[in-house]
Amino acid sequence: MRSEAKLLVVDDEPNIRELLSATLRYAGFDVVTAADGREAVQVAERIRPDLVVLDVMLPDMDGFAVANRLRAAGRRTPVLFLTARDEAEHKLTGLGLGDDYVTKPFSLEEVLARIRAVLRRTRADLNLPSRLQVADLELDEEGHQVWRGGNRVKLSPTEYKLLHYFMVNTGRVLSKAQILDHVWNYDFGGDRNVVESYVSYLRRKIDTVEPRLIHTLRGVGYVLRAPRR
């Protein structure tokens, strides 16, 4: 079971911290939280996150100081700043120290999209593979291409996004709700059978040969699983 990435969420407001962490866990991330700058530096040293979601206005030190401490410790961990201030000078400081900047109030969908965009841009620094492979199924993120048994498989954009979500979560059971949230962001016209339909489309394209990789756990969800050796 593999998450998309390990995130550290730092915010001194409990409601925002818990809402963000719950949303990100639901989207498939491992999430650890911190309530102030000092704790953030300690936790970052301990868990080595793939990205830090960092509030600028913290009670003990501001988020910019936290980012500077992480850099001073030799960490080039990507940082997404959150702040209620939108002055141009403040944004330039944030973008100079971090990788992106979101102004409060924000939508959860926007934060999620920004996190994934930053992770894609910094993938080489994080030593994450641009090509995913499960058995003889391969997905090239840079070229948006898929192969099964060496043969190119043509997928629609939605089928590709669904397969990518399965592959970065290989071995992890994904519920319909999780898939809807990640692949469609709930923009699916109210038809909750859309997941079943697209899983069926995907199976017809990548599971026409043995071993079958996409499995259904009735009443629970779906899982893409490598065959046992």
Side-chain angles (χ1 to χ4, degrees):
M1 187 181 299
R2 186 175 68 179
S3 68
E4 283 198 53
K6 184 187 298 180
L7 308 182
L8 170 59
V9 173
V10 186
D11 200 300
D12 63 316
E13 297 183 49
N15 291 340
I16 293 179
R17 189 170 64 246
E18 293 308 313
L19 182 60
L20 271 174
S21 60
T23 299
L24 294 171
R25 288 188 185 106
Y26 192 71
F29 294 97
D30 283 338
V31 182
V32 178
T33 64
D36 57 44
R38 187 172 291 101
E39 183 183 9
V41 172
Q42 293 172 347
V43 173
E45 178 65 27
R46 186 175 75 249
I47 71 167
R48 307 289 179 88
D50 297 318
L51 181 142
V52 181
V53 180
L54 181 58
D55 186 27
V56 172
M57 305 301 291
L58 295 171
D60 54 346
M61 68 177 86
D62 66 30
F64 299 148
V66 173
N68 276 324
R69 289 202 180 186
L70 294 178
R71 301 290 185 266
R75 302 273 176 269
R76 184 56 188 93
T77 306
V79 175
L80 172 67
F81 285 111
L82 304 176
T83 182
R85 300 176 62 182
D86 61 357
E87 295 94 334
E89 184 177 351
H90 213 60
K91 287 184 177 179
L92 289 173
T93 301
L95 290 172
L97 286 173
D99 299 87
D100 208 343
Y101 190 105
V102 177
T103 304
K104 296 178 180 179
F106 50 77
S107 72
L108 293 171
E109 292 81 5
E110 179 187 10
V111 173
L112 188 57
R114 295 287 188 95
I115 287 171
R116 289 188 169 124
V118 171
L119 287 173
R120 283 195 298 271
R121 291 199 305 268
T122 59
R123 188 171 295 275
D125 293 334
L126 295 173
N127 294 318
L128 296 176
S130 62
R131 180 171 293 211
L132 304 174
Q133 183 167 0
V134 178
D136 61 348
L137 175 66
E138 298 178 77
L139 183 148
D140 179 9
E141 293 193 71
E142 294 182 357
H144 268 235
Q145 295 181 334
V146 175
W147 298 267
R148 179 79 201 262
N151 297 314
R152 174 83 181 276
V153 179
K154 293 184 178 180
L155 300 178
S156 71
T158 301
E159 290 166 347
Y160 175 89
K161 192 173 182 181
L162 176 60
L163 179 61
H164 181 271
Y165 189 46
F166 276 135
M167 292 187 74
V168 298
N169 288 284
T170 298
R172 178 184 180 191
V173 179
L174 302 172
S175 69
K176 287 184 183 180
Q178 286 176 299
I179 295 170
L180 280 171
D181 181 41
H182 181 88
V183 179
W184 283 272
N185 293 320
Y186 291 99
D187 181 20
F188 56 95
D191 182 6
R192 301 188 72 87
N193 292 324
V194 68
V195 174
E196 292 180 18
S197 298
Y198 270 86
V199 169
S200 178
Y201 300 155
L202 201 54
R203 279 175 165 152
R204 291 174 197 169
K205 294 185 176 182
I206 69 164
D207 262 354
T208 56
V209 297
E210 295 293 340
R212 304 296 172 89
L213 300 176
I214 300 175
H215 304 274
T216 302
L217 279 73
R218 296 201 178 278
V220 181
Y222 302 94
V223 58
L224 187 144
R225 188 163 48 219
R228 294 178 180 175
R229 296 180 178 179

